[in-house]
Amino acid sequence: MAEEQTGTAEVDETTETEEPDYKALYEAEKAHSRKWEKQAKANKGAATALNEATEAKKSADEKIAELEKRLDAKEKAESRAKTAAKVAQEKGVPAELIVGEDEESMAAWCDKMLAAFKTKPAPRVEKPGSFDKGGKGGDEALRDFAKRLLK
């Protein structure tokens, strides 16, 4: 029986040492949880600030890209206008009618326009401003008749 008592005493001692203090563990985990809550709130603030900075940078980059695109388009239009004016002066075609992106295509278009709308020469007269009075024909009788009518 003595052995039984020592065996039970050992069991009682082990159960007492193995039994954790739940309240202390709860308080420790609660403190640990509060620590992580504070860290999460700090991280959330930093993440929000980072997102705002990223959005500001992104919008600035988008603005820069848009402005560069507009500048390129304007430079291209100005270059095309200068080329069109040069070709218009050389070919004698209004610059507004010229189609094409480079000087060669513009010149080819002008040549086609000039060929298609080439003015036909006017009839030639041997003595401009003078008319045949017809004094040598049989119209003397008509002239006399007209003179008598008009008197």
Side-chain angles (χ1 to χ4, degrees):
M1 255 195 143
E3 291 177 13
E4 288 180 8
Q5 289 179 355
T6 57
T8 33
E10 289 178 16
V11 171
D12 288 339
E13 288 178 19
T14 56
T15 56
E16 284 182 24
T17 56
E18 288 182 15
E19 181 88 20
D21 184 14
Y22 291 114
K23 186 170 184 177
L25 288 174
Y26 172 75
E27 293 298 326
E29 289 300 318
K30 188 175 175 183
H32 190 67
S33 174
R34 298 290 183 238
K35 175 185 150 192
W36 284 109
E37 281 181 22
K38 289 177 186 175
Q39 185 65 36
K41 287 179 183 177
N43 287 347
K44 182 180 179 187
T48 304
L50 180 64
N51 284 341
E52 289 174 0
T54 305
E55 288 298 321
K57 183 178 185 259
K58 183 179 176 183
S59 64
D61 289 343
E62 288 175 355
K63 288 178 184 177
I64 289 170
E66 180 184 342
L67 291 174
E68 286 176 349
K69 184 178 176 183
R70 288 175 53 195
L71 180 63
D72 290 342
K74 186 175 180 180
E75 287 174 351
K76 185 177 178 183
E78 287 177 357
S79 172
R80 188 201 173 282
K82 286 180 183 178
T83 306
K86 179 182 173 188
V87 172
Q89 187 176 5
E90 291 173 359
K91 299 290 183 173
V93 176
E96 297 84 34
L97 299 178
I98 296 177
V99 177
E101 292 299 319
D102 59 348
E103 190 170 349
E104 294 81 25
S105 63
M106 289 180 186
W109 174 260
C110 289
D111 291 338
K112 288 179 187 177
M113 291 283 292
L114 291 173
F117 296 107
K118 188 175 185 181
T119 56
K120 299 186 179 180
R124 297 183 72 56
V125 181
E126 289 188 26
K127 296 179 185 176
S130 64
F131 298 100
D132 184 23
K133 295 185 182 175
K136 295 182 183 173
D139 57 344
E140 279 298 317
L142 290 173
R143 287 180 191 254
D144 290 334
F145 177 72
K147 283 181 184 177
R148 281 183 273 149
L149 279 175
L150 294 174
K151 284 187 183 182

